[in-house]
Amino acid sequence: DTGVSQNPRHKITKRGQNVTFRCDPISEHNRLYWYRQTLGQGPEFLTYFQNEAQLEKSRLLSDRFSAERPKGSFSTLEIQRTEQGDSAMYLCASSPQQGRNEKLFFGSGTQLSVL
Amino acid sequence: AQSVTQLGSHVSVSEGALVLLRCNYSSSVPPYLFWYVQYPNQGLQLLLKYTSAATLVKGINGFEAEFKKSETSFHLTKPSAHMSDAAEYFCAVTPASGGSYIPTFGRGTSLIVHP
């Protein structure tokens, strides 16, 4: 169990640029979640996958955001035409089971700063 | 939709004093409830969870929480605070029924421990 890995740890970009983050979940974990966290707030749900299928997306999520999980392993989150309001910590989490009471294993996050 | 409210964005205690962090949920059906802790520059990790087996739940590092249906609460306590407990604490909820399996997080409470 090497934990959930996220890369890069920090990303600074200019407004209008595209950025992509990667998440490697714990091996054999079926579920993968993306959350966003801003200063003073709790994690806000973005999207989640069951294996390679994207099962749910936040209704608040802009069309500029897209996520993939090819082959049900690692996942990428892309933000197109970044805006200053996209500046946040992007968290990835995974869980092994399909139950409602399973804990999430979180990565350390990717801190995005949009200038 | 499920939600949790954490009263107090900051709680300050002296080392050795009782820690009490408050969490209330909004749901007519008791959900699954979780407390996560986030240390600086680390990902969130599970402290404990309520799954209806027992109303008093014991977690790691001496923390415990009591589920009170009549008060729709799941407050986190620790009898004696330690300097190493200083962190951000998040209450989270997953619906016990319905289509969504997505955990929803509260805004978090920052625990400050004074020597």
Side-chain angles (χ1 to χ4, degrees), chain A residues 29 94-96 100-105, chain B residues 34 36 46 49:
Chain A
H29 277 196
S94 66
S95 68
R100 296 174 181 271
N101 63 346
E102 294 299 327
K103 74 176 186 180
L104 301 186
F105 294 77
Chain B
F34 308 79
Y36 286 83
L46 184 73
K49 65 179 181 180

Side-chain angles (χ1 to χ4, degrees), chain A residues 35 41 48 98 100-101 104, chain B residues 36 49 98 100-103:
Chain A
Y35 284 84
Q41 302 293 323
Y48 98 95
Q98 299 186 27
R100 296 174 181 271
N101 63 346
L104 301 186
Chain B
Y36 286 83
K49 65 179 181 180
S100 178
Y101 282 61
I102 307 303

Side-chain angles (χ1 to χ4, degrees), chain B residues 49-62:
Chain B
K49 65 179 181 180
Y50 168 72
T51 58
S52 76
T55 57
L56 184 63
V57 182
K58 294 187 182 299
I60 62 172
N61 301 337

Side-chain angles (χ1 to χ4, degrees), chain A:
Chain A
D1 182 351
T2 57
V4 177
S5 176
Q6 291 189 248
N7 288 288
R9 289 296 305 273
H10 304 274
K11 179 69 176 180
I12 300 174
T13 190
K14 293 182 178 179
R15 188 178 53 179
Q17 298 295 305
N18 299 343
V19 295
T20 300
F21 310 140
R22 177 179 170 123
C23 171
D24 288 89
I26 294 172
S27 180
E28 306 302 324
H29 277 196
N30 298 322
R31 292 192 161 191
L32 187 147
Y33 303 77
W34 285 99
Y35 284 84
R36 176 171 60 190
Q37 185 178 19
T38 54
L39 198 62
Q41 302 293 323
E44 173 194 18
F45 169 72
L46 296 179
T47 188
Y48 98 95
F49 294 82
Q50 174 78 30
N51 298 314
E52 68 276 7
Q54 187 174 20
L55 296 186
E56 193 166 338
K57 291 173 59 175
S58 169
R59 285 172 290 178
L60 302 177
L61 195 61
S62 164
D63 290 343
R64 297 182 296 104
F65 287 70
S66 63
E68 295 183 338
R69 193 184 182 194
K71 303 179 181 179
S73 55
F74 72 93
S75 176
T76 58
L77 177 68
E78 180 182 18
I79 309 174
Q80 295 182 327
R81 306 181 302 282
T82 54
E83 302 173 356
Q84 288 187 326
D86 297 332
S87 295
M89 176 73 81
Y90 289 84
L91 302 173
C92 177
S94 66
S95 68
Q97 304 293 340
Q98 299 186 27
R100 296 174 181 271
N101 63 346
E102 294 299 327
K103 74 176 186 180
L104 301 186
F105 294 77
F106 281 86
S108 297
T110 294
Q111 181 67 54
L112 174 65
S113 298
V114 182
L115 305 179

Side-chain angles (χ1 to χ4, degrees), chain B residues 19-33:
Chain B
V19 175
L20 171 61
L21 305 181
R22 300 179 185 273
C23 173
N24 288 86
Y25 65 90
S26 63
S27 172
S28 57
V29 177
Y32 294 111
L33 292 153

